[in-house]
Amino acid sequence: MKVLVIGGDGYCGWATALHLANKGYEVGVLDNLIRRHWDNELGVATLTPIASIQERIYKWKAVSGQDIELFIGDITNYEFLLKAFRGFEPNAVVHFGEQRSAPFSMIDREHAVLTQVNNVVGTLNLLYAIKEHNPECHLVKLGTMGEYGTPNIDIEEGYITIEHNGRKDTLPYPKQPGSFYHLSKVHDSHNIQFACRAWGLRATDLNQGVVYGVLTEETGTDELLINRLDYDGVFGTALNRFCIQAAIGHPLTVYGKGGQTRGFLDIRDTVRCIELAIANPAEAGKMRVFNQFTELFSIRDLALMVQKAGQTLGIKVEVQNIENPRVELEEHYFNAKNTNLLDLGLQPHFLSEALLDSLLNFAIRYRDRIDEKQILPKVKWRG
Ligand code: NAD
Ligand code: USQ
């Protein structure tokens, strides 16, 4: 079975491409390398020294004997996308290829427009490419838990059954995203759902929580296969950032009160969730939705866990509540379902001291590469 991994040079995409290859899938990687360019523009860099995509693929072949086909180009360019589709003939497409940072999308008008055009047009092109080329192809699309926002009721997996004035229906769950980036995912979900209804396509929308960790079975086999690990105020995400901050004695940056609660998962579960989604395709005409996270944590609790893990390694870690640059609730109800992937057989790697130790040690190994100036958040939601 052939799987095209769009965004296969990124954090989740690279780990997934290798995992699928290791599981016997024939893998193609498509990426326009724009993320490396955005890092350069912002003057930020991954903690880890990542090799070029060509070197990575070459090394994987040396380690595993497997070929990964590479397509360098932009999915907002329809001609390029169709050519890649015709060249590779995928049975499933995993779509990670978007601008994924909320702060990046809130820098200014230009970055908001760039984010939404890149994400919405890219996904729309992909829907057309699937329809034109092979309507049987299963689209596995990365969405986000942030599509739902933080409602004061339980969060279902994509749809909610509502009774209203004596009538009943199952409808898309209400969305209240918290940035122009998160909004782009809502727009994508609507477009995908419509394409499934109108053209009979099959799609899985994976509303993923915040991913943490860096090593997977495959990316850990050689230094040239190492994955990216972002820690800066734009692309770095909560737990990864905290471990890297701890490694250089920087106070952990809890925004506001820290009662913000989110879904989290280990990158080793990200790759497994994608594998499960591909192995169990969605029905034709349906956009099914899985909430892809394994545990819920408040930001405050995560910071305290990193502080404790630091203590056992002999590192003194300070937790600091800094002014929240975002507009979001800092104390709220949050209870989301996540049973669909568990029902398909996901066996989660829950957050453990061992993982925090290994992430902290990993950060310590590369701490000379950390630019302290990039840690504090500079982008403010209110401008
Ligand atoms: P990333 O920035 O590391 O990787 C994204 C990749 O997509 C990059 O290599 C980039 O060059 C490529 N790309 C972007 N636009 C493209 C285009 N128009 N054409 C071709 N390639 C393009 O991001 P990531 O952390 O790996 O996230 C991957 C996906 O998972 C995103 O859709 C993101 O929204 C989603 N997600 C990520 C997280 C997380 O914590 N990292 C959590 C939930 C959901
Ligand atoms: N936060 C802090 N301190 C930090 C960084 C973040 O308190 O140093 C807080 C934020 O204010 C927010 C929460 O932690 O309340 C999560 O922020 P984040 O930067 O870790 O994650 P987010 O901006 O939501 O985006 C990330 C990925 C995105 C993905 C999303 C999943 O970048 O691609 O869609 O996680 S979710 O959060 O479930 O929507």
Side-chain angles (χ1 to χ4, degrees), residues 106 324-328 379-383:
M106 299 301 290
N324 195 339
R326 306 187 182 198
V327 176
E328 61 185 0
V379 182
K380 296 205 162 92
W381 265 224
R382 291 200 167 90

Side-chain angles (χ1 to χ4, degrees), residues 242 244-253 317-318 320 372 375-376:
F242 291 167
I244 294 163
Q245 291 166 354
I248 54 163
H250 191 290
L252 308 192
T253 55
V317 181
E318 193 193 325
Q320 209 168 56
E372 236 184 295
I375 289 182
L376 287 177

Side-chain angles (χ1 to χ4, degrees), residues 6-14 30-36 38 73-77 80 95-101 118-119 122 141-145 181 185 206-212 228 230 235 237 240 265:
I6 299 182
D9 186 45
Y11 173 55
C12 300
W14 176 239
L30 186 157
D31 205 296
N32 63 351
L33 313 182
I34 188 81
R35 180 54 214 286
R36 292 175 187 250
W38 288 329
D74 189 329
I75 58 166
T76 64
N77 174 344
F80 159 77
H95 180 19
F96 293 104
E98 299 202 326
Q99 191 303 97
R100 69 108 176 121
S101 154
N118 186 64
N119 296 0
K141 164 69 168 56
L142 272 292
T144 177
M145 283 301 293
Y181 152 71
K185 296 285 193 186
L206 295 173
N207 283 341
Q208 187 170 236
V210 186
V211 183
Y212 60 80
R228 65 160 49 247
D230 302 308
F235 282 104
T237 50
N240 287 346
L265 75 163

Side-chain angles (χ1 to χ4, degrees), residues 252-311:
L252 308 192
T253 55
V254 171
Y255 298 166
K257 295 192 186 121
Q260 301 94 311
T261 300
R262 300 288 182 268
F264 286 81
L265 75 163
D266 187 308
I267 190 156
R268 291 172 297 174
D269 289 336
T270 292
V271 303
R272 178 81 179 115
C273 289
I274 307 289
E275 183 193 350
L276 286 169
I278 293 172
N280 302 276
E283 257 175 70
K286 282 260 166 65
M287 181 186 82
R288 76 180 170 180
V289 181
F290 297 166
N291 289 346
Q292 184 169 314
F293 67 91
T294 59
E295 290 174 282
L296 301 176
F297 294 107
S298 75
I299 298 302
R300 182 197 299 130
D301 285 348
L302 281 181
L304 294 176
M305 285 162 88
V306 173
Q307 185 176 49
K308 192 160 159 250
Q311 265 162 13

Side-chain angles (χ1 to χ4, degrees), residues 73-177:
D74 189 329
I75 58 166
T76 64
N77 174 344
Y78 192 61
E79 296 302 304
F80 159 77
L81 179 60
L82 259 192
K83 208 166 144 214
F85 244 76
R86 293 205 180 105
F88 191 67
E89 305 262 5
N91 307 103
V93 176
V94 188
H95 180 19
F96 293 104
E98 299 202 326
Q99 191 303 97
R100 69 108 176 121
S101 154
F104 185 95
S105 75
M106 299 301 290
I107 292 175
D108 55 16
R109 185 200 65 84
E110 203 185 342
H111 288 80
V113 171
L114 183 163
T115 299
Q116 294 211 351
V117 170
N118 186 64
N119 296 0
V120 176
V121 173
T123 298
L124 198 50
N125 276 347
L126 189 51
L127 291 168
Y128 268 94
I130 293 173
K131 169 180 178 273
E132 295 297 312
H133 189 73
N134 175 14
E136 281 303 307
C137 177
H138 178 203
L139 170 63
V140 177
K141 164 69 168 56
L142 272 292
T144 177
M145 283 301 293
E147 289 188 36
Y148 302 116
T150 53
N152 200 30
I153 56 170
D154 293 346
I155 295 173
E156 304 299 319
E157 301 202 58
Y159 300 92
I160 183 167
T161 302
I162 298 177
E163 220 177 304
H164 180 62
N165 293 345
R167 300 185 67 82
K168 207 168 156 183
D169 204 352
T170 299
L171 299 165
Y173 194 95
K175 308 289 169 74
Q176 304 181 82

